[in-house]
Amino acid sequence: MRRRRLLFGLVGLGVAGAGGVLWWRARFDRIVIHHSAGASGSIDLLRRVHRQRQPGDPIDMIPYHFVVGNGRGMGMGEVAATDRWPHVWGAHTRNRRANLTGIGICLIGNFETAPVAEAQYRAALDLAVDLARRYRIAADALCFHGELPGAQTLCPGRRFPRDRMRADFAAALRA
Ligand SMILES: [Zn+2]
């Protein structure tokens, strides 16, 4: 994995400057929720899709920091960290700031066409709340991909319960 070593070298250089290391450790200020838009999936599958669609990408990693399974390809509610976590910025939106400072969580499934299962919803919520506590992310800083400025996507799908998740997230952090 030569290109991965190169990448980490570049990341190291980028954060070595004045205060850079501190910024990098405290850089997360939001969580961005996505769906995979496929009925089944796993990190391996998303990685294969990424390699097919962007064969020349020097960053050989899927765009998100975490993936939450739906029982097809991964366990129901199973949480897995990707190669990006926690040292590499995300590539999950068109918004540069959201990529740099957001933790990208992808739920396997297509919530345009199907509702999210309760166990998967709970696992994603618990993950988001844990991360928010760990990185001191504000109770109103849970976002959904399609709501970011400039986004041209419905991700994570019209059937995803955004308002419920926003409320559950805020309530858990204020508790
Ligand atoms: Zn998305």
Side-chain angles (χ1 to χ4, degrees), residues 121 144 147 160-169:
Y121 172 85
F144 300 90
E147 297 175 353
F160 193 88
R162 299 179 194 200
D163 290 342
R164 178 188 170 199
M165 193 176 209
R166 248 190 286 268
D168 285 349
F169 178 79

Side-chain angles (χ1 to χ4, degrees), residues 35-54:
H35 71 161
S36 70
S40 63
S42 63
I43 288 180
D44 279 348
L45 184 130
L46 295 177
R47 190 184 284 133
R48 283 200 297 276
V49 171
H50 176 78
R51 283 175 181 167
Q52 275 168 14
R53 289 191 187 162
Q54 295 180 61

